[in-house]
């Protein structure tokens, strides 16, 4: 057990580390002046000094070793103060080997004996600053750690489970990539879940109540208003999700609806076109037959109606004989009226009114002026 | 002196009490407090943790950051044998100290990725002061310093059986996992559902629990719902005493946030220097090759130079 005065001393030691470093630096400076030629190594020393404070990866340890070896040659000339650094550096390089730690512990004890504890207790702060505590920093003092553990450890194996309720997994939880959130959280979840299952078994065996009855109400960690907030958030989240889904659906529908409308319009146009075509065909068929229409069916344009009716019943059925239709048939309807009388390839190719005799004779020649005048008289 | 008396009398009391089973009783009390200069998130986290630990005693912010040994006296004052101390630095970095009050050990850890209950919006909830099940990763047993850490977690986060405000049922579990040299802490609610309801919808892969449920007739399915808070701890240093004493473990892998920040800054600041250096180097190189009119090495006169030929 550590006594109280010892503790205080150690605390002082903790605080004085900087001063120790300063002293060491001074010592080193002196050494450097002695050996002015080795300018480069001075830098290395500085580095070594800092090393136990800053954070290095394990890979550096070999380099440190090399440096330490170099330093050792120097330090022999320098006296006892230098030894501290070496000790630190050695502790750097050695791992948690038990024997080494044991040695250091022993050394620690010796050092502690050097300082009278009573002195430390009564000193004021200013004086405390001047003290150079002989304290060694170890990286991983296994012996001390196990001792500390033994001091505080609960006898878990002897205690009933319900006293500590701790469960350690049988094998290590391996998380290949800690930045992979999903798998990491899954590993944590499964670890806890297995622990809960085991714990429930153990607790039931000990007869400890596990499940909270539904009628047991008590203060919860998260207050009702907090839970209400969470609920509101969940609801709003769900609502926004739903709204966005709805909006997307609507958007798709709109796109599709447009297509439907276009299709419908096209169909309608096609239909009218078809009807017109049929009517035109019929018109052409009976261009000449109109005047001498003796057939009643022809008279009333049944064929047109029939033709149209085959597609779609129309108003024309009910109207009976259609005046307009007749007029249209008579005078023409639709189509362009311009150039109707101008000649075209057909008319110029039409040789019905042509006779060679007429061309040759040229009919009667126009009589001369005197003859025409004589004829007048 | 008083502490010695107290500890002595305590052990005596225990002996009388535990004469029946002959083992030490798990009796813990935790003093929770922070230094000055914590942010609201740190404070909320502290409150969350305090609400999860019915055997804790929350105290006002500690004024000093250098004289942490005062915490021992405070702990003694409040009859606490554990201290959970949140130390904020620079208004952004949070360090968590865990200590066994009268005579150590003390662990200093750096806290990262902290998320309070409030900001996490998890649906889980549990009774205030119900005793948690503590789930530890097996890697905690792999090294002595990790064993010390585990023991401290067990003392501080495990609610002892007879705690004053503890509730009789168990409805949450705390997970401590070691990954990437850091300790990840999660808190889940244990939600039990009727096995019959679940078993119908279950896949054939999960045959085992349903069978068990049928056998026992009343066993329920367990699922977990996270409650929060979440945080990650990086152990830095273990001291032998309580807020003092020799350092018995130091984490070499820990890089202080200050250093990280300064390195980033240095990197940024170094850009101009690197460029300037480069240009100087380039000039020197050109001079060396005799490509500069002034300075550097002058080219030896060539025999075929026009000046030489037509002299």
């Amino acid at each position: 057990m550590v006594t109280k005065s010892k503790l205080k001393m150690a605390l002082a030691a903790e605080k004085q580390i900087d001063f120790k470093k300063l002293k060491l630096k001074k010592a080193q400076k002196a050494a450097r002046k002695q050996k002015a030629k080795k300018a480069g190594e001075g830098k290395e020393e500085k580095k070594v000094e800092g090393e136990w404070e800053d954070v290095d990866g394990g890979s550096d340890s070999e380099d440190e070793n090399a440096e330490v070896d170099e330093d050792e040659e120097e330090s022999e000339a320098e006296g006892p103060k230098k030894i501290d650094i070496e000790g630190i550096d050695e502790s750097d390089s050695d791992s948690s080997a038990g024997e080494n730690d044991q040695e250091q512990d022993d050394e620690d004890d010796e050092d502690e004996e050097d300082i009278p504890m009573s002195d430390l207790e009564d000193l004021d702060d200013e004086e405390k600053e001047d003290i150079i505590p002989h304290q060694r920093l170890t990286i991983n003092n296994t012996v001390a750690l196990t001792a500390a553990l033994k001091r505080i450890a609960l006898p878990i194996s002897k205690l009933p489970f319900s006293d500590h309720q701790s469960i350690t997994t049988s094998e290590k939880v391996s998380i290949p990539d800690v930045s992979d959130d999903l798998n990491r959280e899954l590993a944590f979840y499964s670890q806890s879940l297995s622990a809960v299952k085991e714990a429930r078994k153990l607790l039931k065996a000990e007869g400890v109540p596990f499940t909270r009855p539904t009628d047991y109400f008590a203060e919860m960690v998260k207050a009702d208003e907090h839970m209400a907030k969470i609920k509101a958030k969940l609801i709003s989240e769900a609502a926004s999700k739903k709204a966005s889904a709805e909006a997307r659906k609507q958007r798709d529908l709109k796109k599709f609806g447009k297509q439907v409308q276009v299709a419908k319009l096209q169909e309608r146009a096609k239909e009218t076109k078809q009807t017109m075509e049929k009517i035109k065909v019929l018109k052409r068929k009976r261009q000449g037959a109109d005047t001498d229409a003796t057939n009643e069916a022809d008279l009333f344009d049944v064929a047109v109606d029939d033709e149209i009716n085959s597609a779609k019943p129309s108003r024309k059925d009910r109207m009976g004989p259609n005046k307009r239709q007749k007029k249209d048939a008579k005078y023409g309807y639709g189509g362009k009226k311009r150039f109707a009388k101008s000649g075209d390839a057909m008319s110029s190719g039409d040789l019905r009114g042509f006779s060679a005799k007429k061309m040759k004779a040229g009919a009667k020649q126009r009589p001369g002026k005197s003859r025409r005048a004589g004829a007048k008289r | 002196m008083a502490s010695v008396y107290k500890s002595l009398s305590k052990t005596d009391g225990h002996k009388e009490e535990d004469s029946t089973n002959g083992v030490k009783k798990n009796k813990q009390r935790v003093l929770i407090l922070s230094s000055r200069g914590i942010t609201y998130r740190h404070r909320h986290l502290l409150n969350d943790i305090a609400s999860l630990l019915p055997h804790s005693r929350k105290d006002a912010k500690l004024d000093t950051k250098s004289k942490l040994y005062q915490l021992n006296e405070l702990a003694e004052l409040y009859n606490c044998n554990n201290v959970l101390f949140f130390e904020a630095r620079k208004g952004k970095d949070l360090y968590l100290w865990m200590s066994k009050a009268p005579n150590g050990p003390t662990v200093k850890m750096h806290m990262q990725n902290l998320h309070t209950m409030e900001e996490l919006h998890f649906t889980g909830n549990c009774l205030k002061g119900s005793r948690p099940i503590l789930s530890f990763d097996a890697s905690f047993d792999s090294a002595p310093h990790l064993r010390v850490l585990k023991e401290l977690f067990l003392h501080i986060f495990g609610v002892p059986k007879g705690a004053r405000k503890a509730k009789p049922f168990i409805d949450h579990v705390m997970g401590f996992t070691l990954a990437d040299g850091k300790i990840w802490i999660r808190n889940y609610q244990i939600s039990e559902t009727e096995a019959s309801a679940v078993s119908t919808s279950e896949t054939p892969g999960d045959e085992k629990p349903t069978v068990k449920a049928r056998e026992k007739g009343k066993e329920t399915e367990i699922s977990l719902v996270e409650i929060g808070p979440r945080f990650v701890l990086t152990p830095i240093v273990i001291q032998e005493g309580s807020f003092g004493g020799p350092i018995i473990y130091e984490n070499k892998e820990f890089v202080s946030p200050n250093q990280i920040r300064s390195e980033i800054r240095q990197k940024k600041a170094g850009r101009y220097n690197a460029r300037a250096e480069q240009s100087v180097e380039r000039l020197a190189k050109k001079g060396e090759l005799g490509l500069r009119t002034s300075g550097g090495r002058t080219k030896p006169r060539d025999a075929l130079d026009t000046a030489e030929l037509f002299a």
Side-chain angles (χ1 to χ4, degrees):
Chain A
M1 286 288 245
V2 183
T3 61
K4 197 165 188 181
S5 52
K6 239 184 187 177
L7 257 176
K8 279 202 169 174
M9 182 212 68
L11 196 93
E14 244 286 289
K15 281 172 64 186
Q16 304 305 321
I17 286 170
D18 289 337
F19 288 93
K20 187 180 134 198
K21 267 201 303 189
L22 275 177
K23 290 267 169 178
L24 288 173
K25 248 181 210 170
K26 270 183 198 167
Q28 277 173 343
K29 258 182 197 168
R32 243 174 274 150
K33 272 174 194 168
Q34 281 178 6
K35 304 183 178 184
K37 54 188 173 177
K38 284 194 177 180
E41 276 192 32
K43 270 182 198 169
E44 278 178 351
E45 270 178 56
K46 250 185 191 170
K47 198 184 167 194
V48 171
E49 227 175 89
E51 232 145 52
W52 57 272
E53 200 190 28
D54 48 315
V55 186
D56 283 333
S59 58
D60 279 329
S61 60
E62 284 174 355
D63 299 329
E64 284 166 31
N65 267 340
E67 282 162 19
V68 170
D69 287 344
E70 283 174 3
D71 288 342
E72 267 176 315
E73 292 174 9
E74 279 182 74
S75 62
E76 282 170 4
E78 284 167 14
K81 272 187 178 170
K82 188 70 187 158
I83 292 166
D84 269 335
I85 281 189
E86 275 172 41
I88 290 160
D89 286 331
E90 274 165 37
S91 68
D92 251 4
S93 51
D94 74 26
S95 61
S96 57
E99 305 145 55
N100 257 332
D101 290 336
Q102 194 77 55
E103 276 178 29
Q104 280 165 351
D105 262 7
D106 292 347
E107 280 169 0
D108 267 341
D109 290 344
E110 282 169 25
D111 286 342
E112 278 163 19
E113 280 164 26
D114 286 348
I115 305 163
M117 296 164 197
S118 52
D119 284 3
L120 274 164
E121 271 189 309
D122 300 331
L123 284 176
D124 56 30
D125 283 0
E126 279 187 10
E127 282 174 298
K128 267 182 186 173
E129 283 177 356
D130 295 335
I131 299 168
I132 311 164
H134 295 266
Q135 183 215 4
R136 249 164 256 278
L137 289 167
T138 54
I139 301 306
N140 194 354
N141 193 338
T142 320
V143 179
L145 281 169
T146 42
L149 178 63
K150 210 190 277 174
R151 204 168 61 225
I152 61 164
L154 288 171
I156 280 185
S157 52
K158 285 182 207 160
L159 284 171
F161 177 74
S162 60
D163 269 21
H164 58 89
Q165 293 193 346
S166 77
I167 285 196
T168 310
T169 52
S170 49
E171 60 245 7
K172 289 179 183 177
V173 176
S174 73
I175 297 167
D177 181 17
V178 281
S179 46
D180 180 3
D181 286 6
L182 194 70
N183 284 329
R184 188 191 61 218
E185 293 303 324
L186 196 68
F188 295 157
Y189 181 89
S190 54
Q191 180 202 325
S192 294
L193 189 62
S194 66
V196 168
K197 280 180 177 164
E198 204 179 328
R200 184 170 66 169
K201 219 181 289 167
L202 288 166
L203 286 170
K204 291 240 160 123
E206 285 182 20
V208 175
F210 184 84
T211 318
R212 175 165 70 110
T214 47
D215 56 351
Y216 181 90
F217 294 110
E219 194 185 357
M220 305 291 273
V221 164
K222 291 178 187 172
D224 283 348
E225 58 181 30
H226 186 189
M227 290 308 278
K229 220 191 260 175
I230 291 169
K231 205 173 169 186
K233 177 151 176 98
L234 279 180
I235 287 170
S236 75
E237 232 163 55
S240 73
K241 214 180 250 176
K242 203 177 164 189
S244 77
E246 191 73 16
R248 169 162 297 165
K249 204 174 156 190
Q250 207 65 31
R251 233 176 295 141
D252 287 351
L253 236 144
K254 201 174 165 190
K255 238 183 240 167
F256 188 67
K258 225 173 210 173
Q259 280 175 348
V260 166
Q261 204 176 0
V262 166
K264 216 171 194 177
L265 279 175
Q266 273 176 346
E267 204 183 327
R268 217 174 278 167
K270 205 174 158 191
E271 217 166 85
T272 37
K273 208 175 166 190
Q274 257 178 359
T275 334
M276 294 308 290
E277 199 85 355
K278 277 170 192 166
I279 290 167
K280 222 180 247 174
V281 166
L282 278 173
K283 237 196 297 184
R284 224 169 265 160
K285 244 191 235 169
R286 304 201 261 144
Q287 224 155 25
D290 248 10
T291 43
D292 50 20
T294 47
N295 194 350
E296 216 164 299
D298 282 351
L299 192 69
F300 296 114
D301 273 335
V302 175
V304 176
D305 281 347
D306 283 349
E307 200 77 45
I308 293 163
N309 278 354
S310 67
K312 174 182 154 198
S314 78
R315 213 162 34 141
K316 281 160 194 166
D317 298 357
R318 294 171 294 184
M319 294 297 276
N322 201 333
K323 191 176 169 193
R324 179 78 249 159
Q325 194 115 29
K326 277 207 248 166
K327 275 193 164 172
D328 283 351
K330 194 170 179 184
Y331 305 112
Y333 166 77
K336 73 177 181 185
K337 275 104 187 166
R338 281 168 295 167
F339 314 124
K341 292 178 177 171
S342 61
D344 61 351
M346 196 87 109
S347 68
S348 56
D350 187 7
L351 295 174
R352 276 177 302 181
F354 177 77
S355 79
K357 203 169 124 192
K358 245 183 188 175
M359 285 274 288
K360 228 178 247 166
K364 298 147 222 167
Q365 252 177 350
R366 187 175 157 95
K369 195 172 181 178
S370 55
R371 214 182 281 177
R372 268 186 280 138
K376 257 188 186 175
R377 269 179 229 150
Chain B
M1 308 319 105
S3 70
V4 171
Y5 170 72
K6 210 161 255 173
S7 66
L8 277 174
S9 60
K10 220 178 249 175
T11 48
D12 281 347
H14 277 209
K15 261 167 201 164
E16 286 163 18
E17 211 174 276
D18 302 329
S19 54
T20 46
N21 47 13
V23 283
K24 209 164 79 179
K25 212 184 160 199
N26 182 14
K27 205 166 189 184
Q28 310 294 342
R29 244 175 92 77
V30 185
L31 177 69
I32 299 183
L33 75 172
S34 73
S35 71
R36 282 173 64 164
I38 58 169
T39 66
Y40 75 99
R41 293 182 74 202
H42 301 159
R43 192 177 67 243
H44 288 192
L45 181 78
L46 189 143
N47 287 338
D48 287 349
I49 288 174
S51 74
L52 286 171
L53 308 178
H55 60 301
S56 68
R57 172 71 159 83
K58 215 163 72 182
D59 198 32
K61 289 172 185 167
L62 191 73
D63 238 341
T64 173
K65 281 180 187 171
S66 53
K67 295 170 189 161
L68 289 183
Y69 53 83
Q70 290 176 353
L71 282 167
N72 292 329
E73 287 158 33
L74 261 180
E76 197 185 302
L77 202 72
Y78 289 123
N79 252 334
C80 294
N81 56 353
N82 299 288
V83 180
L84 196 63
F85 178 60
F86 290 74
E87 184 187 351
R89 293 255 168 122
K90 303 192 167 183
K92 46 190 155 189
D93 305 324
L94 188 64
Y95 296 90
L96 182 64
W97 295 75
M98 292 195 311
S99 166
K100 292 294 289 178
N103 33 33
T106 309
V107 182
K108 183 189 183 186
M109 291 174 292
H110 179 226
M111 193 182 271
Q112 283 167 305
N113 293 0
L114 66 96
H115 300 283
T116 61
M117 259 183 213
E118 191 152 16
E119 68 193 27
L120 277 172
H121 294 295
F122 286 134
T123 50
N125 200 354
C126 64
L127 288 172
K128 191 167 189 167
S130 65
R131 302 179 58 209
I133 292 167
L134 303 176
S135 161
F136 289 100
D137 184 2
S139 3
F140 274 105
D141 287 334
S142 60
H145 71 273
L146 294 172
R147 283 218 299 277
V148 171
L149 277 169
K150 182 186 165 188
E151 197 64 34
L152 278 168
F153 283 130
L154 179 64
H155 289 197
I156 289 174
F157 288 98
V159 178
K161 200 173 189 180
R164 201 162 55 85
K165 284 175 259 177
K167 304 260 163 60
F169 305 105
I170 289 138
D171 62 353
H172 71 290
V173 52
M174 283 193 102
F176 300 85
T177 315
L178 200 77
D180 198 25
K182 298 177 176 69
I183 298 151
W184 304 67
I185 297 173
R186 295 286 182 274
N187 188 22
Y188 298 99
Q189 176 196 354
I190 303 168
S191 82
E192 291 174 286
T193 45
E194 283 301 317
S196 54
V198 177
S199 62
T200 49
S201 63
E202 229 165 73
T203 53
D206 295 308
E207 203 62 63
K208 209 176 154 192
T210 58
V211 168
K212 202 175 77 184
R214 264 175 223 146
E215 277 172 3
K216 294 212 172 177
K218 56 170 186 175
E219 200 88 320
T220 51
E221 283 300 321
I222 291 177
S223 61
L224 303 180
V225 185
E226 188 154 2
I227 303 170
R230 281 181 171 185
F231 48 96
V232 178
L233 299 169
T234 316
I236 303 168
V237 143
I238 299 179
Q239 283 181 309
E240 198 170 23
S242 176
F243 296 103
I247 290 164
I248 53 178
Y249 169 80
E250 190 176 11
N251 187 1
K252 278 281 170 198
E253 281 172 28
F254 173 73
V255 184
S256 85
N258 288 333
Q259 199 178 345
I260 290 171
R261 279 193 293 264
S262 88
E263 256 162 36
I264 290 169
R265 246 179 287 126
Q266 292 264 321
K267 218 178 190 176
K268 264 185 191 162
R271 271 187 218 148
Y272 171 73
N273 288 347
R275 259 203 306 272
E277 214 166 84
Q278 235 174 13
S279 71
V280 167
E281 257 171 36
R282 198 166 47 244
L283 282 179
K285 204 173 169 185
K286 273 188 169 172
E288 196 66 17
L289 290 169
L291 295 173
R292 290 186 65 196
T293 46
S294 64
R297 199 166 60 94
T298 46
K299 247 190 197 168
R301 226 160 166 195
D302 196 13
L304 292 176
D305 198 35
T306 39
E308 191 84 349
L309 281 173
F310 306 105

